[in-house]
Amino acid sequence: MQCMVRVEYITNQFFNSRTYVLSTKSSDEVWLVDCGDVEQALDVLAKGKQVKGVLLTHTHADHIYGINRLLELFPEATVYTNSFGQGALDDSRLNITRYHNEVPDLVITKRENVRVLAEGDKVALFDGVLAEVFSTVGHDASCLTYQVESYLFTGDSYIPGVPVVARFPKSNKKQAATSEARIQTLAENLTVCPGHTI
Ligand SMILES: [Zn+2]
């Protein structure tokens, strides 16, 4: 397969989570995977480009805290998550920003921009480039994994070398183990892009 998409990331200040920027040579638009220090990410990796949307791996604080800034900068940007994540973007307890002093309590300002994804869905990112959606709940009830060409964005459902954390209020240990095993199989010929820099 010839890869069209270019994948880069910055490591966010908060908990070393990552904001990925997906781009192609021929487009003025970019996509994000997760959303922390959004301005720095764009400044470093995508100056002058338009953000079409963001694919959320899950709606925990450290993966979403830049979302309202993103929507200020790009009011048309689409925010993708699953149905649990849609509710969590509206509730600072479910997205756990309430329990972290490092970031302000977060309730999404433009809930009309949110689109709900489920297992098997596909999102058209660029001409001829799709994101394929896998439900990988367990770490959190909002966990999705995305395959884009040869890249697999796993969030916190699978970070190579790190045990999956399943101690959050909406974690499910058994599901986390099943999801991790599934991702490991999927990842065999792919480049894993995890949710954190370790
Ligand atoms: Zn998490």
Side-chain angles (χ1 to χ4, degrees), residues 58 60 62-63 139-140 156 168 196:
H58 62 300
H60 277 165
D62 45 337
H63 299 264
H139 169 73
D140 184 52
D156 293 357
F168 292 97
H196 290 261

Side-chain angles (χ1 to χ4, degrees), residues 8-12 16-22 31-42 45 54 62-63 65-66 194-195 197:
E8 298 167 292
Y9 69 87
I10 64 153
T11 299
N12 302 307
N16 289 335
S17 59
R18 290 181 174 182
T19 300
Y20 287 91
V21 177
L22 281 58
W31 284 82
L32 305 184
V33 174
D34 290 344
C35 192
D37 300 330
V38 57
E39 276 164 294
Q40 286 90 319
L42 297 175
L45 302 173
V54 54
D62 45 337
H63 299 264
Y65 67 88
T197 298

Side-chain angles (χ1 to χ4, degrees), residues 31-187:
W31 284 82
L32 305 184
V33 174
D34 290 344
C35 192
D37 300 330
V38 57
E39 276 164 294
Q40 286 90 319
L42 297 175
D43 217 40
V44 175
L45 302 173
K47 231 190 165 85
K49 304 246 176 169
Q50 289 285 321
V51 177
K52 278 288 275 183
V54 54
L55 306 172
L56 296 178
T57 63
H58 62 300
T59 52
H60 277 165
D62 45 337
H63 299 264
I64 60 163
Y65 67 88
I67 207 97
N68 285 337
R69 183 64 187 135
L70 176 75
L71 292 169
E72 251 173 63
L73 294 168
F74 302 99
E76 306 298 316
T78 307
V79 177
Y80 287 98
T81 181
N82 74 1
S83 57
F84 179 86
Q86 181 181 35
L89 288 172
D90 238 352
D91 183 332
S92 64
R93 281 168 299 137
L94 291 180
N95 65 43
I96 68 174
T97 51
R98 185 171 299 186
Y99 312 114
H100 288 288
N101 296 328
E102 298 90 332
V103 294
D105 283 15
L106 186 141
V107 170
I108 192 165
T109 49
K110 298 194 76 191
R111 58 174 70 88
E112 66 274 20
N113 289 35
V114 177
R115 297 284 176 279
V116 169
L117 295 172
E119 172 75 27
D121 284 346
K122 292 187 170 75
V123 182
L125 303 183
F126 305 100
D127 234 0
V129 180
L130 294 174
E132 205 179 331
V133 179
F134 302 91
S135 175
T136 55
V137 296
H139 169 73
D140 184 52
S142 64
C143 286
L144 296 173
T145 289
Y146 303 93
Q147 183 179 350
V148 181
E149 296 188 329
S150 62
Y151 299 95
L152 195 63
F153 298 91
T154 59
D156 293 357
S157 297
Y158 175 56
I159 301 176
V162 180
V164 179
V165 180
R167 284 185 268 102
F168 292 97
K170 299 296 173 185
S171 289
N172 178 312
K173 247 192 169 145
K174 217 171 150 188
Q175 289 177 339
T178 307
S179 290
E180 185 184 24
R182 184 171 177 223
I183 293 170
Q184 282 176 326
T185 307
L186 275 173

